[in-house]
Amino acid sequence: QVQLQESGPGLVKPSETLSLTCAVSGGSIINYYWSWIRQPPGKGLEWIGYIYYSGITNYNPSLKSRVTISVDTSKNQFSLKLSSVTAADTAVYYCARIYGGDWYFDLWGRGTLVTVSS
Amino acid sequence: QSALTQPASVSGSPGQSITISCTGTSSDVGSYNLVSWYQQHPGKAPKLMIYEGTKRPSGVSNRFSGSKSGNTASLTISGLQAEDEADYYCCSYAGRNTVVFGGGTKVTVL
């Protein structure tokens, strides 16, 4: 079955750029929308943005100025970059698949904790 | 784009039914039948429980059901079991190809 796996540094310094990758295995990245969602420790979920396999993106307005999501169909993966990070960006970051155009997340990665600290 | 409003906690005894509300606005919950619900156990990724307001994915117990009235969606868990103790999040399409989550509800089985 299709599985998602996040990877990237677990520690990022303030003002630097957070970079994560989500590898899709057991299925193709083609014809789906893919998303990043984060969860600060002890808090709720926050949608970051999505990318369609063709490269079309859209972001949460509150993060739009700092977020870039890209896709590499040859590697069957997509990535997140979040610039100018602060301690408030410390969170577990999840990648997820959006099912069709119905705006629900049917598959999730296990998540990866990113801590912003000097 | 504000978070949807959920009660911080709901509790019930085994076998009882509980309902979790999710209140949005006419720009999100009230305008679309695109509310989904997720169950999250500690240290785990969220799991889809309800989509398009009322539909259950394959494998999800029929003890879980969803509904909507106006700007408020609801998740009902009937025949509450110990394994249902978890955090629950609602999510709604909010227009312009964006979604918004609720703040989450902690369900405790007494």
Side-chain angles (χ1 to χ4, degrees), chain A residues 60-72:
Chain A
N60 185 324
S62 68
L63 297 169
K64 188 173 185 176
S65 63
R66 298 193 293 130
V67 174
T68 302
I69 299 176
S70 58
V71 65
D72 187 337

Side-chain angles (χ1 to χ4, degrees), chain B residues 2-77:
Chain B
S2 300
L4 307 176
T5 300
Q6 298 181 233
S9 63
V10 173
S11 61
S13 298
Q16 286 187 329
S17 292
I18 62 168
T19 296
I20 303 167
S21 61
C22 170
T23 301
T25 69
S26 57
S27 297
D28 39 61
V29 175
S31 287
Y32 309 97
N33 288 320
L34 293 174
V35 173
S36 50
W37 289 89
Y38 303 87
Q39 176 192 65
Q40 186 181 36
H41 287 109
K44 300 294 187 182
K47 174 188 175 184
L48 177 67
M49 303 302 284
I50 295 288
Y51 65 98
E52 293 178 6
T54 61
K55 298 178 181 179
R56 275 189 314 276
S58 174
V60 172
S61 171
N62 59 9
R63 298 185 298 104
F64 291 84
S65 61
S67 63
K68 192 185 90 166
S69 177
N71 295 338
T72 298
S74 299
L75 174 71
T76 297
I77 309 174

Side-chain angles (χ1 to χ4, degrees), chain A residues 4-83:
Chain A
L4 309 181
Q5 179 65 59
E6 305 89 349
S7 62
L11 181 65
V12 180
K13 289 182 168 56
S15 80
E16 295 189 344
T17 296
L18 177 160
S19 296
L20 295 173
T21 296
C22 181
V24 180
S25 60
S28 176
I29 204 168
I30 304 296
N31 290 331
Y32 284 99
Y33 292 81
W34 305 91
S35 195
W36 287 97
I37 296 156
R38 69 180 183 178
Q39 184 173 35
K43 296 188 178 181
L45 301 169
E46 180 181 31
W47 176 69
I48 298 171
Y50 78 79
I51 189 163
Y52 191 47
Y53 78 98
S54 63
I56 296 171
T57 58
N58 201 28
Y59 305 127
N60 185 324
S62 68
L63 297 169
K64 188 173 185 176
S65 63
R66 298 193 293 130
V67 174
T68 302
I69 299 176
S70 58
V71 65
D72 187 337
T73 54
S74 67
K75 294 183 178 179
N76 225 36
Q77 65 185 36
F78 61 104
S79 299
L80 168 71
K81 290 189 185 298
L82 181 65
S83 64

Side-chain angles (χ1 to χ4, degrees), chain A residues 37 45-47 105 108, chain B residues 3-4 38 89-91 99-103:
Chain A
I37 296 156
L45 301 169
E46 180 181 31
W47 176 69
F105 305 98
W108 295 68
Chain B
L4 307 176
Y38 303 87
Y89 293 90
C90 62
C91 179
V99 295
V100 61
F101 281 97

